[in-house]
Amino acid sequence: MTQPGGLARTLSHRTMLMIGLGSALGTGLFFGSGAAIGVAGPAAVVSYALGALLIAVIGLAMAEMATARPEPGSFGAAAGRYLGEWAGFVSRWCYWAASVIALGGEVVAAGAYLTYWWPDVPLVVFVALVGLTIVVINLLSVGSFGRAEAAFSTLKVTALIAFILIGLVLVLFGAPGLAATGWGNLTEHGGFLPNGLESIWLSMAIVMFAFVGVEVIPIAAAEAENPRRSVRTAMRALVARLGLFYVVAVLLIVTLNAWTATASAKGLEASPFVRAFDAVGTPAAAGVMNFVILVAALSTGNAQLYGAGRLVHSLAVDRLAPAFLARTNIKGAPIVATLVSALGLLLAVWLAETGVADAFTKLVSIATFSVLITWLLALASYIVFRRTGDVHGSVHLPGGAVVAGVGIAGILAVMATAFKVPDMRDAALVGGLWLVVLLVGYALTRGVRRTKVTIS
């Protein structure tokens, strides 16, 4: 089936569920957790628990609006309806920019993981191959995207469950030749809060990036066979499992090894998951986890290109972007919007070729700040949405507008880390300039539209 804008409703209930389970399980957890532990020590467990609660509020609010009106643009279209056209413009372009930047970072990361096995091949070659693969998957059809994400998600979730089970065995019972580690590492090496209570807040600048991806479910609602059922099931499953997977996984990481060792690791060994499997004596642990992290990067990049392309397409449908960006192929894939969004791949190739120092960290911080702006507008839209009461979704945020208000306070608290965290400070400066550019761009777009109406 097709709908306004030319998108096809072909995503099955099972595919939507798998997209939901894997959309937010990326390198932010498999790799970024080490950086968060370096800031907060064992108390990073609290940071991830707070992050899971905050993303639950955001995800359920987005899902409620998406099931009420499963339309192209999702939370961006809702921002335009409930806050004003400018908000829909800013929200979607912010998310597009964040996705494009993060896509570049993920593709560079995936290329780096491949050089682990083939170190003599130039990084730029792998980056180009990974980027081309992601673009082809997204251009074929929404079905090809769904099947790829389902496969990626199955592997990621399986690997994470295996890690949790192995970790629990090591902590509680030990292994042949290895005594049970117990819970001593949670309080040794400076205590549970080695860097003070403030470190929990500061680490949130890193932690929240791990949850980026929850937005893919409401975005995909416009292409689901049964959006009210699929989005409800997928979002509930995602919210529950994110809280369980992230908190338990990080708890095991800081229990199996001293947090100081995790924080000081470099390269592939910087992944706390690699260190955990090494502790079991698993042969080729680094190689196994390198493959899992590679899949995580592919999956996240695939979802980011999907989300970016769909939001640009929706802007064109709403006449907030050039009309040619609304074109779709015979299978309902927005080919022009997807290709424009693949600009992030050109950025990735340039970074791989020039070898810009610490590029991934900078890209992640800028992308995180842009996503925070999107989340902020989504929750503000939700508050107005609940007050109007014109349409009811099939999933509901407990506490409604009041809880959404608490969520807004949480997002502002994360953004406030810019006063203390250098990378977030840089991201805030760039993000502030980007906001000015968007507002000027919206004013110009509105002026062009008025001119056309006057002439006609």
Side-chain angles (χ1 to χ4, degrees):
M1 295 184 293
T2 59
Q3 57 180 323
L7 300 179
R9 290 196 180 278
T10 56
L11 289 176
S12 68
H13 180 70
R14 180 184 178 280
T15 300
M16 284 286 291
L17 179 59
M18 293 310 298
I19 289 173
L21 289 178
S23 59
L25 293 175
T27 53
L29 172 64
F30 289 107
F31 233 99
S33 52
I37 291 168
V39 174
V45 175
V46 179
S47 303
Y48 277 94
L50 292 174
L53 287 174
L54 181 54
I55 207 64
V57 173
I58 296 167
L60 289 173
M62 286 183 169
E64 185 170 344
M65 291 189 292
T67 53
R69 296 181 183 271
E71 59 189 333
S74 187
F75 49 85
R81 176 178 297 107
Y82 298 110
L83 299 180
E85 191 178 62
W86 68 270
F89 184 90
V90 169
S91 175
R92 281 177 277 191
W93 278 120
C94 261
Y95 188 78
W96 177 84
S99 297
V100 166
I101 291 170
L103 172 61
E106 294 289 354
V107 172
V108 169
Y113 302 145
L114 285 169
T115 61
Y116 173 81
W117 291 298
W118 297 284
D120 296 330
V121 178
L123 174 61
V124 67
V125 174
F126 286 133
V127 169
L129 287 174
V130 170
L132 181 61
T133 300
I134 290 174
V135 170
V136 169
I137 289 173
N138 274 270
L139 288 180
L140 290 176
S141 68
V142 67
S144 65
F145 161 77
R147 288 188 293 272
E149 274 301 292
F152 292 150
S153 299
T154 299
L155 193 148
K156 288 191 294 183
V157 171
T158 301
L160 193 53
I161 292 174
F163 168 79
I164 290 174
L165 293 177
I166 292 172
L168 286 173
V169 169
L170 283 175
V171 170
L172 299 175
F173 308 108
L178 290 172
T181 61
W183 306 99
N185 280 325
L186 289 175
T187 53
E188 297 171 0
H189 314 289
F192 184 73
L193 272 168
N195 297 321
L197 189 62
E198 185 185 50
S199 65
I200 295 177
W201 168 54
L202 295 179
S203 67
M204 295 300 292
I206 303 169
V207 167
M208 290 313 298
F209 176 72
F211 294 101
V212 174
V214 68
E215 311 84 12
V216 174
I217 296 176
I219 290 174
E223 295 171 274
E225 292 177 351
N226 186 342
R228 290 180 65 84
R229 176 186 177 222
S230 297
V231 173
R232 180 184 68 242
T233 304
M235 187 58 74
R236 285 177 176 173
L238 176 59
V239 166
R241 284 162 178 76
L242 278 183
L244 174 64
F245 286 163
Y246 276 69
V247 175
V248 174
V250 174
L251 175 64
L252 289 173
I253 287 169
V254 294
T255 302
L256 289 170
N257 294 285
W259 75 269
T260 49
T262 299
S264 62
K266 303 296 181 184
L268 182 60
E269 293 298 320
S271 171
F273 292 82
V274 173
R275 297 184 65 82
F277 278 107
D278 273 336
V280 196
T282 305
V288 172
M289 284 311 302
N290 187 66
F291 176 71
V292 173
I293 298 170
L294 169 63
V295 170
L298 283 170
S299 174
T300 306
N302 191 43
Q304 284 160 347
L305 182 57
Y306 169 84
R310 264 55 182 185
L311 289 191
V312 169
H313 168 266
S314 73
L315 282 163
V317 171
D318 290 346
R319 298 170 58 206
L320 293 173
F324 69 89
L325 292 172
R327 294 175 185 170
T328 59
N329 63 14
I330 194 171
K331 293 188 176 181
I335 53 175
V336 182
T338 299
L339 288 173
V340 169
S341 299
L343 288 172
L345 300 178
L346 297 178
L347 173 64
V349 173
W350 176 75
L351 289 174
E353 186 66 32
T354 56
V356 177
D358 203 23
F360 183 69
T361 301
K362 297 297 183 184
L363 289 175
V364 164
S365 62
I366 295 171
T368 300
F369 194 84
S370 297
V371 168
L372 289 172
I373 294 172
T374 302
W375 289 345
L376 201 61
L377 289 173
L379 288 182
S381 305
Y382 176 79
I383 291 174
V384 180
F385 160 79
R386 283 299 295 263
R387 287 175 180 171
T388 59
D390 55 346
V391 182
H392 297 286
S394 60
V395 59
H396 301 285
L397 170 65
V402 174
V403 173
V406 175
I408 288 176
I411 295 172
L412 292 175
V414 175
M415 296 175 80
T417 60
F419 292 104
K420 291 277 190 174
V421 180
D423 283 339
M424 185 58 84
R425 186 181 306 121
D426 295 341
L429 290 173
V430 176
L433 291 174
W434 176 237
L435 272 178
V436 171
V437 169
L438 288 179
L439 290 172
V440 171
Y442 171 70
L444 292 174
T445 300
R446 190 175 182 182
V448 169
R449 287 169 56 187
R450 284 181 175 177
T451 301
K452 289 181 178 180
V453 170
T454 301
I455 292 174
S456 61

